[in-house]
């Protein structure tokens, strides 16, 4: 007998624009050749480290390789917005837009 997964009690704090930008980054990242992703990974990692510093200052971000960077970025964006509220949401969205526009 299959059991349904329990509903999450955590509210979804990422609004439409931030969610849209994360999805655009994820799609674009998946299309990049590995060599290009490796070259561009410093930009994603820099934003991920910035966001991690907002909620866990001084804790190093694990290097899971370029394939995991969009997922790490999504988790850290959610955490930053959850901790910082509407002001953080606007900042996160602005940074995500700039990152997406900088990708080849």
């Amino acid at each position: 007998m299959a059991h349904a997964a329990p509903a999450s009690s955590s509210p979804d704090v990422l609004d439409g624009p931030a969610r849209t930008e994360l999805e655009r980054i994820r799609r674009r990242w998946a299309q990049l050749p590995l060599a290009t992703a490796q070259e561009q990974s410093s930009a994603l990692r820099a934003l991920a480290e910035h966001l991690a510093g907002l909620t866990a200052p001084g804790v190093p971000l694990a290097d899971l390789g370029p394939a995991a960077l969009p997922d790490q970025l999504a988790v850290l964006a959610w955490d930053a917005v959850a901790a910082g509220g509407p002001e953080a949401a606007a900042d996160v969205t602005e940074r995500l837009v700039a990152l997406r526009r900088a990708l080849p």
Side-chain angles (χ1 to χ4, degrees):
M1 171 173 13
H3 296 279
S8 173
S9 61
S10 299
D12 190 357
V13 298
L14 284 180
D15 62 359
R19 180 178 305 285
T20 298
E21 290 306 320
L22 282 168
E23 188 54 38
R24 287 176 176 169
I25 290 167
R26 189 183 315 266
R27 280 195 313 261
R28 181 65 189 125
W29 197 252
Q31 295 171 349
L32 294 177
L34 179 58
T36 305
Q38 288 172 327
E39 291 170 4
Q40 297 294 317
S41 64
S42 62
L44 265 74
R45 184 155 179 88
L47 180 53
E49 287 176 344
H50 169 77
L51 296 175
L54 297 176
T55 57
V59 177
L61 183 63
D63 185 351
L64 304 176
L69 277 170
D71 294 328
Q72 283 182 301
L73 189 61
V75 169
L76 294 164
W78 194 97
D79 288 348
V81 171
E87 298 83 22
D91 181 58
V92 167
T93 300
E94 184 177 308
R95 289 174 185 270
L96 290 171
V97 168
L99 174 64
R100 177 188 47 84
R101 289 179 177 163
L103 290 176

